Amino acid sequence: MTAEAQQMIEHIVQLIRKPGGTIDENTPLVSSGLIDSMALVDLLLKLEDLTHKRIPAGKVQPKDMDTVAKMFATAERVGKPRK
């Protein structure tokens, strides 16, 4: 696991609705109800910060943010280097 993925997991743990749970890179977040749609905006901003990329929100679907692994794959697929 990368340091960035670990930082994202730590951030998510603070957002999840069921405190005390453990998550990893492949834990379903959206589809399981651990995080809601309002938290997705926060996660997208954190993902941009960790990857140093601009990620157009219009190109990201909730399924793209369902796991930490999918988040980073989405950043690689649609993200553009920040200027």
Side-chain angles (χ1 to χ4, degrees):
M1 178 181 322
T2 66
E4 291 83 4
Q6 183 60 42
Q7 289 176 6
M8 180 61 87
I9 289 171
E10 291 169 6
H11 186 74
I12 292 167
V13 167
Q14 296 174 3
L15 296 175
I16 59 175
R17 294 178 171 199
K18 299 174 186 172
T22 59
I23 65 168
D24 62 30
E25 287 181 291
N26 297 305
T27 302
L29 302 169
V30 178
S31 62
S32 67
L34 285 175
I35 61 170
D36 61 20
S37 59
M38 296 304 289
L40 289 178
V41 174
D42 183 274
L43 293 179
L44 185 60
L45 292 173
K46 183 69 173 177
L47 184 61
E48 285 185 330
D49 184 47
L50 291 172
T51 61
H52 306 289
K53 294 184 178 193
R54 168 80 176 98
I55 303 166
K59 293 189 176 188
V60 179
Q61 300 296 318
K63 67 180 181 172
D64 297 324
M65 301 291 284
D66 198 36
T67 68
V68 172
K70 287 182 181 179
M71 290 178 198
F72 283 94
T74 299
E76 284 301 312
R77 181 173 45 85
V78 302
K80 305 285 185 218
R82 286 187 183 165
K83 294 180 180 180

